[in-house]
Structure formats: C-alpha cells, structure tokens
Amino acid sequence: MNPADLGLPVDVPSTALFTDHYELTMLQAALANGTADRRSVFEVFTRRLPEGRRYGVLAGTGRVLDAVENFRFDAAVLEFLRERAVVDMRTLDWLASYRFSGDIWGYPEGEVYFPGSPVLRVEGSFAECVLLETVILSILNHDSAIAAAASRMSSAAGGRPLIEMGARRTHELAAVAAARAAYVGGFASTSDLAAGFRYGIPTVGTSAHAFTLVHDSERDAFEAQVASLGGSTTLLVDTYDVADAVRTAVEVAGTGLGAVRIDSGDLLLVAHRVRQQLDELGATGTRIVVTSDLDEYAIASLAAAPVDAYGVGTQLVTGSGHPTCSMVYKLVARATSADPKAVLHPVAKKSSGGKTSVGGRKWAARRRDADGVAEAEVVGTGAVPSGLAGEQLLVQLVKGGEVVAREPLEAARDRHRAALAALPLSATQLSRGEAVIPTEYA
C-alpha cells in the first residue's frame, strides 16, 4: 500500500490558493499586455545561510512535486476568486484550465547547498511559472530549515538515534512536514502517526506523565504498562523520585527492561546516576532515552553521558532558532516571445541592502579535491567547464509538466548522509562560522 495514493486528511484537494494575492494580479496584467506567454526561467536560492550555519540542507522537494501536480483551480476556488473580485473574468477563464506544462530542475532532495546555489529552476511561460512562487517557497523554506536543524542535531548525536517529538509544538499539518524533513536530516523516527502513515517514517512512543499520575502509585502504572506493552517498553522515570522509579521499574519489568526515559533535571548528572543504578541492579542492557527541550548544543553537551537516544521537539520544529532559510524565487531570464528558440535574456534585480541577484539560467557543480572532499560550489551560466561536467548538481524533476524524478524518502535520507560526508570535517562543527565551502561564479 502506498499511503500517498489514498488521499489523506493531511493533504488538501488543491494547492492553488497556497499563494499570494499579487501572483494572480500580476497574471491578469500580463495576460492583458501580452507578456504572459513569454518564455521565462525562475530560480530558487538563498543569498546567505542563517547566521553561524556552515551548510544548508534541501528538503521538501518531493512535497513541491506533489504541490505542482495539485495546483488546480477547481470550481469552488474559481468561485471564491470571482466573488472576491480578485481577478477579472478573462483571468478566471485562463485559470480554469491551468496545468503546469513546463520543466523543473533542481538539487535532489537531501543534497546540501550554499549561498547562491540554484536549488530549483522553473522554466515555462511567465504566467504558469509565476503562480508557483509562494507555494514552492513556503515548502522549501520550512522543510529545509527543519532538515538543517535535524542534520546538526544528528551530527551532534554522534550516531545515537534521534526521535522527532515536535507535533504538539507546531501547526498540525506543519508537524507532518517537519517529521518528514527531520527524517531526511538524519532523525530515526517520529512520534507523529500522521507522518508515519503519510510517509512511512517509523513511529515510536510509550507513555507520558499523565499515565503515571492517573494510577494510585508509580508501581501500578509501571505494572500496567509492562503488562500491556511487554518488558521491552520504555518507562518514564522522572514523575516523582528518579532513583525510586528506576528501582521500581527494574523490579516490575526485570533486568530485561527495554529503556527508561528522563524528561527533566540536570540530564548529564541524572543520566550518569541512572546508568550506574541500572548496572548495579543488573539491567545492563536497559537503554536511557532523554528528552526535555533539547537542541544541538544540549545534545553535544551529553556526548560523554551514557545516553542511548534523544527525543527532540520544540527546537527541531522551529529550526533551532532559524525557522526559515530565506530562500527567494526570482526571474533570472526571459525571452520576448513564447518561441522555444527565442533567445533568453538574463534579468536581475539591482538594489541596495544586499538584495541583488545574478541574472541568467544557471548550472551548478561541486568542485572536489584529490580526496573527493568538496572545496567549492561553482555556479555559472552558459557552457559547463569540462572538468565539472561530471559534478553537476541539478537534475530534472519535471519534464513537460510531468514529474519524472519522484523517489522514496529513504533515498533523500541516504543522499544527505553521503553529501554531508563529502564536506570538509568542519561542516559539523557547532561553533559559529562561514559556509564551509565558498560559492564561486563562473
């Protein structure tokens, strides 16, 4: 069974209104003056990484492909636009048959990126491309921010598994997207069942403090949980006194108890004490899971602690201080007609305040040293230098309006692992710094 084919409650029937009002008013004006059909190239990129970050992680590409396929103006949507007088009747007639028929190229999901990297390139008529700006940016900015935070946390965890637990800290639909992005960035599982159902991500969970508190004693709660879920379950041991709870947990579940979870206190100190106590009780194989407002710095501070897994919520789903990647969607080239042979003229915004951009339809490649380690992100227009032909980063995602590069989520997860491994070692440092490799324009 492919859950993506079921039409789940976490989806919407149309993504057409996931856009800004001015996209449609631009369309109306372009239809009126004859520029709507001009062949155009839009690119998604960020001018800078969030402060202190060494690399970005592209996530959400698969969701973008779904959104483009579902960008349809059905009768209800058209009626809403008509009632609000958002656009005129000519534009409504045009929207009624809207189907994206162009091409989309981009970095494959899970790949890393840097300032100026053209992570997505959308080609087609001005009219059909401009409408996709907001929905593409909303997906990529959100998902890539979560994936970048997840990647840093995964590096800090040093191979210990991470559990995504942020559903209660964000919008219910954003939680599903966040779990997906976290999985791309290196998390092993999620607590969110909708994410598990929609994307096949492993789901985990046992009990909260409420389960302990509803029972007459902590022992009663542990006995009920073990009776229902078995001795391999995870018992929450910080509702009252941790030492008493650990002792009771082993008495109830035996030395084969799966794990204990600590959700408060000085995690470094408590984890050491709990490990010592478990070992003294003979539960040497019982794992320790810690939660409680963790971020990558807190995880790194527990590197020497006897912790086996981390559960992360708030900081993950808010991008650990950087909830957006500041990606933009800019027109970089356009022709003077719809003729596919018409010359594409580079265009670019010129302004003060760091909002300038580089015109022209771009390619991107990652130059590597003799050991295969990345040393520069090379972005250019025109012909690709022969030495970089085999290192190009953009792949075709949509051809003639048809998705041609849909892939399992696991592929994006594996790709990110490989891309991160090919960066200089300093990429995983948590200390503030510039992008780990420079962006060069050819």
Side-chain angles (χ1 to χ4, degrees):
M1 180 187 72
N2 181 6
D5 296 332
L6 299 180
L8 305 180
V10 294
D11 289 336
V12 292
S14 169
T15 53
L17 292 184
F18 288 175
T19 191
D20 288 310
H21 188 116
Y22 81 167
E23 310 291 5
L24 299 189
T25 52
M26 280 193 289
L27 170 65
Q28 176 176 307
L31 288 170
N33 78 349
T35 55
D37 291 333
R38 287 187 171 186
R39 190 158 64 95
S40 301
V41 179
F42 287 80
E43 289 176 352
V44 176
F45 61 93
T46 185
R47 296 184 175 95
R48 64 191 66 83
L49 296 176
E51 184 180 358
R53 296 287 173 90
R54 305 297 182 92
Y55 61 92
V57 181
L58 182 68
T61 307
R63 296 207 309 120
V64 165
L65 298 180
D66 292 341
V68 171
E69 282 189 330
N70 291 325
F71 205 90
R72 304 284 187 267
F73 292 83
D74 58 26
V77 169
L78 292 169
E79 180 61 18
F80 165 79
L81 297 175
R82 187 194 66 77
E83 288 180 348
R84 297 293 182 92
V86 175
V87 290
D88 60 20
M89 287 305 300
R90 178 187 179 185
T91 306
L92 290 175
D93 290 342
W94 189 92
L95 292 172
S97 59
Y98 177 85
R99 301 289 187 276
F100 180 74
S101 63
D103 298 335
I104 299 179
W105 294 71
Y107 283 33
E109 189 161 16
E111 184 58 85
V112 296
Y113 68 85
F114 300 92
S117 296
V119 296
L120 201 73
R121 189 174 72 220
V122 183
E123 305 180 18
S125 71
F126 174 80
E128 65 179 341
C129 294
V130 75
L131 292 182
L132 299 176
E133 175 181 8
T134 303
V135 70
I136 287 175
L137 288 179
S138 67
I139 292 171
L140 294 185
N141 269 313
H142 173 269
D143 290 23
S144 298
I146 305 304
S151 178
R152 285 163 58 86
M153 292 174 186
S154 182
S155 294
R160 296 169 178 173
L162 292 152
I163 307 163
E164 185 280 314
M165 303 172 65
R168 62 191 60 192
R169 296 291 186 259
T170 188
H171 184 279
E172 66 272 17
L173 300 186
V176 181
R180 183 186 184 281
Y183 192 67
V184 171
F187 272 56
S189 57
T190 179
S191 65
D192 193 291
L193 289 174
F197 186 56
R198 179 69 179 82
Y199 297 115
I201 302 169
T203 60
V204 296
T206 51
S207 67
H209 293 101
F211 186 76
T212 300
L213 294 169
V214 78
H215 287 83
D216 294 337
S217 70
E218 195 165 48
R219 179 179 293 274
D220 288 346
F222 289 172
E223 288 176 346
Q225 184 172 327
V226 170
S228 178
L229 302 179
S232 62
T233 191
T234 299
L235 295 176
L236 182 58
V237 295
D238 72 329
T239 306
Y240 305 117
D241 181 83
V242 173
D244 287 345
V246 170
R247 186 180 310 106
T248 302
V250 175
E251 290 174 356
V252 170
T255 56
L257 172 63
V260 295
R261 178 163 74 95
I262 306 166
D263 188 52
S264 59
D266 183 336
L267 297 179
L268 179 62
L269 175 63
V270 175
H272 277 287
R273 287 178 174 174
V274 168
R275 181 74 272 159
Q276 180 179 354
Q277 185 179 10
L278 287 169
D279 290 346
E280 290 173 350
L281 293 170
T284 56
T286 299
R287 297 175 300 114
I288 297 175
V289 180
V290 297
T291 52
S292 185
D293 289 330
L294 299 176
D295 61 10
E296 60 265 50
Y297 301 103
I299 292 169
S301 73
L302 294 168
V307 173
D308 299 285
Y310 306 89
V312 189
T314 302
Q315 292 301 319
L316 176 65
V317 299
T318 56
S320 195
H322 298 289
T324 180
C325 304
S326 299
M327 289 182 181
V328 294
Y329 182 96
K330 296 298 180 183
L331 180 66
V332 297
R334 54 90 175 168
T336 56
S337 72
D339 186 347
K341 296 181 180 180
V343 175
L344 284 169
H345 301 281
V347 295
K349 176 181 179 180
K350 294 182 179 180
S351 65
S352 59
K355 284 195 171 185
T356 57
S357 56
V358 179
R361 181 182 186 271
K362 300 176 195 66
W363 51 264
R366 192 159 296 147
R367 191 173 69 238
R368 304 172 188 273
D369 63 19
D371 296 319
V373 178
E375 60 180 13
E377 190 90 339
V378 186
V379 178
T381 59
V384 181
S386 57
L388 294 174
E391 301 294 339
Q392 293 190 72
L393 292 163
L394 280 83
V395 299
Q396 189 153 27
L397 303 170
V398 176
K399 183 176 183 179
E402 299 295 325
V403 174
V404 295
R406 189 168 273 113
E407 62 182 5
L409 190 58
E410 202 68 41
R413 176 181 169 85
D414 292 343
R415 182 180 296 114
H416 176 62
R417 188 182 298 113
L420 187 57
L423 294 180
L425 288 176
S426 57
T428 59
Q429 291 179 342
L430 297 182
S431 56
R432 294 186 178 275
E434 299 298 320
V436 71
I437 62 173
T439 302
E440 300 177 357
Y441 288 94

